[in-house]
Structure formats: structure tokens, C-alpha cells
Amino acid sequence: QVQLVESGGGLVQPGESLRLSCARSGSIFGVNVMGWYRQAPGKERELVATITSNGSTNYADSVKERFTISRDNAKNTVYLQMNSLKPEDTAVYYCRYQEVLRSLEVWGQGTLVTVSS
């Protein structure tokens, strides 16, 4: 049973930085993908970044060169370092876990990021 808890959201001014954390509990097996998604008011949830168990990463074009996803397996945590934040980055950010072996998909509860001056 995998559970995810996001933290690190808050209110920042444009150009500032935040680091989101996604703490995982429960056992994981085999190939898996951790990802960050976001949903702005009135919009559909969209992919922000993903990182696989072998370290491969993928980013949405809108966050490339600004955001960095990483994972610390020893701490069972995935991070999203967000630099040069823009007002359009304002959204609820969700952590997602996908495991191939058990066909699992788990979502965190979300953490709100607000970028405003």
C-alpha cells in the first residue's frame, strides 16, 4: 500500500523559488514512475515532470530549464525544485506514483502553489 504526502507549497513572488516534496510510504516494486502534475483553477490537470526508477526525466515545455525533478530513494522522497516561478505556475501540485508490476496508480492530496506579487 503506497501513500504519498506532498508538502512545500505556499505563496511566493514571481521570480522566487520553491521546493516541493513528496514523501512516500509503503513498499514499491520494480519499475516505477514518480511525477508531479498540477491543476490550475478552471483547467485540467497537466503533467509537470516525471522521473523513472532508472532516473530518466521528462518535463513539460512550460517548465523546462526552470523546474527540476529528483528523487532520493534513501529518504523515499521525490522533489520538485521550482525556480523563476511565474504567476502562470499557480496551481495545486499533485504527486503521482505509478508502478508497472502491480499496475498501481497513487495520487497525493496536493499542495497549493501561489505565485503572485
PDB file of all heavy atoms in Angstrom, residues 17-43:
ATOM      1  N   SER A  17      11.659  31.013  -5.683  1.00  0.00           N
ATOM      2  CA  SER A  17      11.761  29.569  -5.818  1.00  0.00           C
ATOM      3  C   SER A  17      11.037  28.851  -4.698  1.00  0.00           C
ATOM      4  O   SER A  17      10.853  29.386  -3.602  1.00  0.00           O
ATOM      5  CB  SER A  17      13.234  29.132  -5.820  1.00  0.00           C
ATOM      6  OG  SER A  17      13.953  29.703  -6.893  1.00  0.00           O
ATOM      7  N   LEU A  18      10.641  27.639  -4.984  1.00  0.00           N
ATOM      8  CA  LEU A  18      10.060  26.728  -4.012  1.00  0.00           C
ATOM      9  C   LEU A  18      10.545  25.327  -4.317  1.00  0.00           C
ATOM     10  O   LEU A  18      10.850  25.007  -5.467  1.00  0.00           O
ATOM     11  CB  LEU A  18       8.532  26.729  -4.061  1.00  0.00           C
ATOM     12  CG  LEU A  18       7.753  27.830  -3.354  1.00  0.00           C
ATOM     13  CD1 LEU A  18       6.270  27.644  -3.633  1.00  0.00           C
ATOM     14  CD2 LEU A  18       8.025  27.817  -1.867  1.00  0.00           C
ATOM     15  N   ARG A  19      10.606  24.507  -3.291  1.00  0.00           N
ATOM     16  CA  ARG A  19      10.890  23.098  -3.485  1.00  0.00           C
ATOM     17  C   ARG A  19       9.771  22.282  -2.871  1.00  0.00           C
ATOM     18  O   ARG A  19       9.531  22.351  -1.664  1.00  0.00           O
ATOM     19  CB  ARG A  19      12.228  22.680  -2.876  1.00  0.00           C
ATOM     20  CG  ARG A  19      12.600  21.237  -3.253  1.00  0.00           C
ATOM     21  CD  ARG A  19      13.969  20.821  -2.761  1.00  0.00           C
ATOM     22  NE  ARG A  19      13.986  20.580  -1.329  1.00  0.00           N
ATOM     23  CZ  ARG A  19      14.953  19.906  -0.709  1.00  0.00           C
ATOM     24  NH1 ARG A  19      15.972  19.419  -1.408  1.00  0.00           N
ATOM     25  NH2 ARG A  19      14.907  19.747   0.601  1.00  0.00           N
ATOM     26  N   LEU A  20       9.111  21.522  -3.707  1.00  0.00           N
ATOM     27  CA  LEU A  20       8.063  20.638  -3.253  1.00  0.00           C
ATOM     28  C   LEU A  20       8.641  19.271  -2.922  1.00  0.00           C
ATOM     29  O   LEU A  20       9.569  18.807  -3.572  1.00  0.00           O
ATOM     30  CB  LEU A  20       6.979  20.483  -4.320  1.00  0.00           C
ATOM     31  CG  LEU A  20       6.337  21.765  -4.844  1.00  0.00           C
ATOM     32  CD1 LEU A  20       5.247  21.424  -5.849  1.00  0.00           C
ATOM     33  CD2 LEU A  20       5.791  22.607  -3.709  1.00  0.00           C
ATOM     34  N   SER A  21       8.065  18.650  -1.922  1.00  0.00           N
ATOM     35  CA  SER A  21       8.486  17.318  -1.523  1.00  0.00           C
ATOM     36  C   SER A  21       7.299  16.374  -1.559  1.00  0.00           C
ATOM     37  O   SER A  21       6.175  16.759  -1.251  1.00  0.00           O
ATOM     38  CB  SER A  21       9.079  17.324  -0.112  1.00  0.00           C
ATOM     39  OG  SER A  21      10.230  18.135  -0.041  1.00  0.00           O
ATOM     40  N   CYS A  22       7.558  15.154  -1.932  1.00  0.00           N
ATOM     41  CA  CYS A  22       6.545  14.110  -1.943  1.00  0.00           C
ATOM     42  C   CYS A  22       7.109  12.923  -1.187  1.00  0.00           C
ATOM     43  O   CYS A  22       8.008  12.232  -1.689  1.00  0.00           O
ATOM     44  CB  CYS A  22       6.173  13.718  -3.372  1.00  0.00           C
ATOM     45  SG  CYS A  22       5.022  12.328  -3.476  1.00  0.00           S
ATOM     46  N   ALA A  23       6.602  12.716   0.003  1.00  0.00           N
ATOM     47  CA  ALA A  23       7.066  11.620   0.838  1.00  0.00           C
ATOM     48  C   ALA A  23       6.225  10.375   0.585  1.00  0.00           C
ATOM     49  O   ALA A  23       5.000  10.431   0.623  1.00  0.00           O
ATOM     50  CB  ALA A  23       6.998  12.007   2.311  1.00  0.00           C
ATOM     51  N   ARG A  24       6.894   9.285   0.340  1.00  0.00           N
ATOM     52  CA  ARG A  24       6.218   8.033   0.035  1.00  0.00           C
ATOM     53  C   ARG A  24       6.313   7.075   1.204  1.00  0.00           C
ATOM     54  O   ARG A  24       7.362   6.928   1.836  1.00  0.00           O
ATOM     55  CB  ARG A  24       6.829   7.389  -1.211  1.00  0.00           C
ATOM     56  CG  ARG A  24       6.317   5.975  -1.496  1.00  0.00           C
ATOM     57  CD  ARG A  24       7.025   5.353  -2.701  1.00  0.00           C
ATOM     58  NE  ARG A  24       8.477   5.364  -2.553  1.00  0.00           N
ATOM     59  CZ  ARG A  24       9.178   4.503  -1.825  1.00  0.00           C
ATOM     60  NH1 ARG A  24       8.557   3.538  -1.151  1.00  0.00           N
ATOM     61  NH2 ARG A  24      10.499   4.596  -1.769  1.00  0.00           N
ATOM     62  N   SER A  25       5.226   6.397   1.470  1.00  0.00           N
ATOM     63  CA  SER A  25       5.206   5.311   2.432  1.00  0.00           C
ATOM     64  C   SER A  25       4.694   4.058   1.739  1.00  0.00           C
ATOM     65  O   SER A  25       3.976   4.136   0.736  1.00  0.00           O
ATOM     66  CB  SER A  25       4.343   5.646   3.641  1.00  0.00           C
ATOM     67  OG  SER A  25       2.989   5.828   3.265  1.00  0.00           O
ATOM     68  N   GLY A  26       5.042   2.914   2.276  1.00  0.00           N
ATOM     69  CA  GLY A  26       4.654   1.656   1.673  1.00  0.00           C
ATOM     70  C   GLY A  26       5.733   1.143   0.742  1.00  0.00           C
ATOM     71  O   GLY A  26       6.591   1.885   0.267  1.00  0.00           O
ATOM     72  N   SER A  27       5.670  -0.128   0.466  1.00  0.00           N
ATOM     73  CA  SER A  27       6.667  -0.780  -0.372  1.00  0.00           C
ATOM     74  C   SER A  27       6.395  -0.531  -1.845  1.00  0.00           C
ATOM     75  O   SER A  27       5.245  -0.407  -2.276  1.00  0.00           O
ATOM     76  CB  SER A  27       6.673  -2.286  -0.101  1.00  0.00           C
ATOM     77  OG  SER A  27       6.998  -2.574   1.247  1.00  0.00           O
ATOM     78  N   ILE A  28       7.476  -0.470  -2.605  1.00  0.00           N
ATOM     79  CA  ILE A  28       7.370  -0.359  -4.045  1.00  0.00           C
ATOM     80  C   ILE A  28       8.173  -1.490  -4.675  1.00  0.00           C
ATOM     81  O   ILE A  28       9.125  -1.994  -4.090  1.00  0.00           O
ATOM     82  CB  ILE A  28       7.866   1.000  -4.567  1.00  0.00           C
ATOM     83  CG1 ILE A  28       9.337   1.224  -4.193  1.00  0.00           C
ATOM     84  CG2 ILE A  28       7.002   2.119  -4.014  1.00  0.00           C
ATOM     85  CD1 ILE A  28       9.927   2.480  -4.799  1.00  0.00           C
ATOM     86  N   PHE A  29       7.775  -1.857  -5.893  1.00  0.00           N
ATOM     87  CA  PHE A  29       8.403  -2.986  -6.565  1.00  0.00           C
ATOM     88  C   PHE A  29       8.661  -2.657  -8.021  1.00  0.00           C
ATOM     89  O   PHE A  29       7.788  -2.157  -8.732  1.00  0.00           O
ATOM     90  CB  PHE A  29       7.517  -4.230  -6.470  1.00  0.00           C
ATOM     91  CG  PHE A  29       7.257  -4.694  -5.077  1.00  0.00           C
ATOM     92  CD1 PHE A  29       6.166  -4.214  -4.369  1.00  0.00           C
ATOM     93  CD2 PHE A  29       8.089  -5.614  -4.479  1.00  0.00           C
ATOM     94  CE1 PHE A  29       5.914  -4.636  -3.079  1.00  0.00           C
ATOM     95  CE2 PHE A  29       7.852  -6.050  -3.186  1.00  0.00           C
ATOM     96  CZ  PHE A  29       6.766  -5.561  -2.485  1.00  0.00           C
ATOM     97  N   GLY A  30       9.856  -2.957  -8.451  1.00  0.00           N
ATOM     98  CA  GLY A  30      10.190  -2.904  -9.855  1.00  0.00           C
ATOM     99  C   GLY A  30      10.163  -1.515 -10.453  1.00  0.00           C
ATOM    100  O   GLY A  30      10.385  -0.511  -9.770  1.00  0.00           O
ATOM    101  N   VAL A  31       9.880  -1.486 -11.748  1.00  0.00           N
ATOM    102  CA  VAL A  31       9.882  -0.245 -12.490  1.00  0.00           C
ATOM    103  C   VAL A  31       8.742   0.651 -12.021  1.00  0.00           C
ATOM    104  O   VAL A  31       7.600   0.208 -11.907  1.00  0.00           O
ATOM    105  CB  VAL A  31       9.762  -0.520 -13.997  1.00  0.00           C
ATOM    106  CG1 VAL A  31       9.676   0.792 -14.771  1.00  0.00           C
ATOM    107  CG2 VAL A  31      10.939  -1.357 -14.477  1.00  0.00           C
ATOM    108  N   ASN A  32       9.065   1.887 -11.750  1.00  0.00           N
ATOM    109  CA  ASN A  32       8.037   2.817 -11.320  1.00  0.00           C
ATOM    110  C   ASN A  32       8.362   4.215 -11.817  1.00  0.00           C
ATOM    111  O   ASN A  32       9.500   4.525 -12.181  1.00  0.00           O
ATOM    112  CB  ASN A  32       7.869   2.810  -9.794  1.00  0.00           C
ATOM    113  CG  ASN A  32       9.130   3.194  -9.063  1.00  0.00           C
ATOM    114  OD1 ASN A  32       9.438   4.383  -8.921  1.00  0.00           O
ATOM    115  ND2 ASN A  32       9.874   2.197  -8.600  1.00  0.00           N
ATOM    116  N   VAL A  33       7.345   5.032 -11.819  1.00  0.00           N
ATOM    117  CA  VAL A  33       7.474   6.409 -12.260  1.00  0.00           C
ATOM    118  C   VAL A  33       6.866   7.318 -11.201  1.00  0.00           C
ATOM    119  O   VAL A  33       5.736   7.092 -10.768  1.00  0.00           O
ATOM    120  CB  VAL A  33       6.773   6.660 -13.604  1.00  0.00           C
ATOM    121  CG1 VAL A  33       6.952   8.109 -14.041  1.00  0.00           C
ATOM    122  CG2 VAL A  33       7.310   5.710 -14.664  1.00  0.00           C
ATOM    123  N   MET A  34       7.609   8.319 -10.800  1.00  0.00           N
ATOM    124  CA  MET A  34       7.093   9.351  -9.927  1.00  0.00           C
ATOM    125  C   MET A  34       6.927  10.619 -10.745  1.00  0.00           C
ATOM    126  O   MET A  34       7.774  10.935 -11.581  1.00  0.00           O
ATOM    127  CB  MET A  34       8.034   9.614  -8.752  1.00  0.00           C
ATOM    128  CG  MET A  34       8.243   8.419  -7.840  1.00  0.00           C
ATOM    129  SD  MET A  34       6.739   8.005  -6.900  1.00  0.00           S
ATOM    130  CE  MET A  34       6.532   9.493  -5.910  1.00  0.00           C
ATOM    131  N   GLY A  35       5.855  11.313 -10.502  1.00  0.00           N
ATOM    132  CA  GLY A  35       5.610  12.509 -11.284  1.00  0.00           C
ATOM    133  C   GLY A  35       4.932  13.597 -10.493  1.00  0.00           C
ATOM    134  O   GLY A  35       4.325  13.354  -9.449  1.00  0.00           O
ATOM    135  N   TRP A  36       5.080  14.801 -11.006  1.00  0.00           N
ATOM    136  CA  TRP A  36       4.373  15.956 -10.491  1.00  0.00           C
ATOM    137  C   TRP A  36       3.418  16.455 -11.555  1.00  0.00           C
ATOM    138  O   TRP A  36       3.800  16.611 -12.722  1.00  0.00           O
ATOM    139  CB  TRP A  36       5.335  17.076 -10.090  1.00  0.00           C
ATOM    140  CG  TRP A  36       6.099  16.801  -8.840  1.00  0.00           C
ATOM    141  CD1 TRP A  36       7.359  16.311  -8.730  1.00  0.00           C
ATOM    142  CD2 TRP A  36       5.631  17.028  -7.502  1.00  0.00           C
ATOM    143  NE1 TRP A  36       7.719  16.202  -7.413  1.00  0.00           N
ATOM    144  CE2 TRP A  36       6.679  16.637  -6.637  1.00  0.00           C
ATOM    145  CE3 TRP A  36       4.444  17.511  -6.961  1.00  0.00           C
ATOM    146  CZ2 TRP A  36       6.565  16.723  -5.243  1.00  0.00           C
ATOM    147  CZ3 TRP A  36       4.332  17.597  -5.580  1.00  0.00           C
ATOM    148  CH2 TRP A  36       5.382  17.202  -4.744  1.00  0.00           C
ATOM    149  N   TYR A  37       2.201  16.676 -11.153  1.00  0.00           N
ATOM    150  CA  TYR A  37       1.175  17.232 -12.003  1.00  0.00           C
ATOM    151  C   TYR A  37       0.607  18.467 -11.317  1.00  0.00           C
ATOM    152  O   TYR A  37       0.774  18.656 -10.114  1.00  0.00           O
ATOM    153  CB  TYR A  37       0.063  16.220 -12.262  1.00  0.00           C
ATOM    154  CG  TYR A  37       0.503  15.014 -13.065  1.00  0.00           C
ATOM    155  CD1 TYR A  37       1.333  14.046 -12.509  1.00  0.00           C
ATOM    156  CD2 TYR A  37       0.082  14.850 -14.385  1.00  0.00           C
ATOM    157  CE1 TYR A  37       1.744  12.948 -13.249  1.00  0.00           C
ATOM    158  CE2 TYR A  37       0.483  13.747 -15.126  1.00  0.00           C
ATOM    159  CZ  TYR A  37       1.311  12.804 -14.550  1.00  0.00           C
ATOM    160  OH  TYR A  37       1.708  11.712 -15.284  1.00  0.00           O
ATOM    161  N   ARG A  38      -0.062  19.296 -12.084  1.00  0.00           N
ATOM    162  CA  ARG A  38      -0.661  20.473 -11.484  1.00  0.00           C
ATOM    163  C   ARG A  38      -1.998  20.769 -12.136  1.00  0.00           C
ATOM    164  O   ARG A  38      -2.246  20.419 -13.284  1.00  0.00           O
ATOM    165  CB  ARG A  38       0.264  21.692 -11.597  1.00  0.00           C
ATOM    166  CG  ARG A  38       0.494  22.187 -13.022  1.00  0.00           C
ATOM    167  CD  ARG A  38       1.547  23.295 -13.030  1.00  0.00           C
ATOM    168  NE  ARG A  38       1.767  23.834 -14.356  1.00  0.00           N
ATOM    169  CZ  ARG A  38       2.714  24.715 -14.657  1.00  0.00           C
ATOM    170  NH1 ARG A  38       3.537  25.152 -13.703  1.00  0.00           N
ATOM    171  NH2 ARG A  38       2.841  25.160 -15.906  1.00  0.00           N
ATOM    172  N   GLN A  39      -2.837  21.429 -11.374  1.00  0.00           N
ATOM    173  CA  GLN A  39      -4.149  21.803 -11.863  1.00  0.00           C
ATOM    174  C   GLN A  39      -4.456  23.224 -11.415  1.00  0.00           C
ATOM    175  O   GLN A  39      -4.561  23.499 -10.220  1.00  0.00           O
ATOM    176  CB  GLN A  39      -5.225  20.845 -11.364  1.00  0.00           C
ATOM    177  CG  GLN A  39      -6.597  21.091 -11.964  1.00  0.00           C
ATOM    178  CD  GLN A  39      -7.561  19.952 -11.688  1.00  0.00           C
ATOM    179  OE1 GLN A  39      -7.357  19.158 -10.775  1.00  0.00           O
ATOM    180  NE2 GLN A  39      -8.612  19.870 -12.487  1.00  0.00           N
ATOM    181  N   ALA A  40      -4.582  24.099 -12.375  1.00  0.00           N
ATOM    182  CA  ALA A  40      -4.929  25.484 -12.111  1.00  0.00           C
ATOM    183  C   ALA A  40      -6.445  25.630 -12.118  1.00  0.00           C
ATOM    184  O   ALA A  40      -7.154  24.806 -12.701  1.00  0.00           O
ATOM    185  CB  ALA A  40      -4.296  26.400 -13.160  1.00  0.00           C
ATOM    186  N   PRO A  41      -6.967  26.671 -11.486  1.00  0.00           N
ATOM    187  CA  PRO A  41      -8.414  26.874 -11.464  1.00  0.00           C
ATOM    188  C   PRO A  41      -9.007  26.906 -12.866  1.00  0.00           C
ATOM    189  O   PRO A  41      -8.523  27.632 -13.738  1.00  0.00           O
ATOM    190  CB  PRO A  41      -8.562  28.228 -10.767  1.00  0.00           C
ATOM    191  CG  PRO A  41      -7.349  28.336  -9.904  1.00  0.00           C
ATOM    192  CD  PRO A  41      -6.251  27.692 -10.708  1.00  0.00           C
ATOM    193  N   GLY A  42     -10.039  26.117 -13.079  1.00  0.00           N
ATOM    194  CA  GLY A  42     -10.720  26.090 -14.357  1.00  0.00           C
ATOM    195  C   GLY A  42     -10.004  25.340 -15.455  1.00  0.00           C
ATOM    196  O   GLY A  42     -10.465  25.355 -16.602  1.00  0.00           O
ATOM    197  N   LYS A  43      -8.898  24.687 -15.127  1.00  0.00           N
ATOM    198  CA  LYS A  43      -8.140  23.954 -16.130  1.00  0.00           C
ATOM    199  C   LYS A  43      -7.993  22.491 -15.735  1.00  0.00           C
ATOM    200  O   LYS A  43      -8.164  22.123 -14.581  1.00  0.00           O
ATOM    201  CB  LYS A  43      -6.760  24.581 -16.330  1.00  0.00           C
ATOM    202  CG  LYS A  43      -6.785  26.000 -16.876  1.00  0.00           C
ATOM    203  CD  LYS A  43      -5.392  26.511 -17.144  1.00  0.00           C
ATOM    204  CE  LYS A  43      -5.413  27.908 -17.734  1.00  0.00           C
ATOM    205  NZ  LYS A  43      -4.045  28.404 -18.017  1.00  0.00           N
TER     206      LYS A  43
END
